[in-house]
Amino acid sequence: MNPDELRNRCVGAILGFAIGDALGMPVEFLSREQIRRYYGKPVSGFIKAHPGHASDFLPEGSYTDNTQTMLATANA
């Protein structure tokens, strides 16, 4: 595999991870029943976490410490 292709694949994997993290941020630590109670349906887009959630201070579409940890690991 040439270096450009390898770099593109790595960037794609990192970007996909961050997008998935941002999509899952508002429902992190919640059960299926809690997701229904707080959001009324499965989360399918970027939304702000409900009040009282550990990430309720983050704007919609924000990634979490999971992405920050992955970036630090990739950088190492």
Side-chain angles (χ1 to χ4, degrees):
M1 177 180 320
N2 72 51
D4 289 338
E5 184 178 348
L6 180 60
R7 184 181 62 245
N8 288 340
R9 287 182 179 200
C10 289
V11 168
I14 290 168
L15 185 59
F17 185 100
I19 291 169
D21 185 28
L23 284 168
M25 176 268 294
V27 298
E28 189 172 25
F29 309 117
L30 300 180
S31 68
R32 185 177 295 181
E33 292 75 29
Q34 289 171 315
I35 293 168
R36 283 191 192 118
R37 183 177 40 204
Y38 290 121
Y39 304 107
K41 61 182 180 173
V43 174
S44 60
F46 297 118
I47 62 171
K48 186 162 175 49
H50 69 276
H53 187 278
S55 297
D56 67 355
F57 64 96
L58 295 172
E60 63 185 45
S62 294
Y63 60 81
T64 71
D65 62 322
N66 296 326
T67 296
Q68 292 172 327
T69 301
M70 185 271 307
L71 289 171
T73 302
N75 190 44

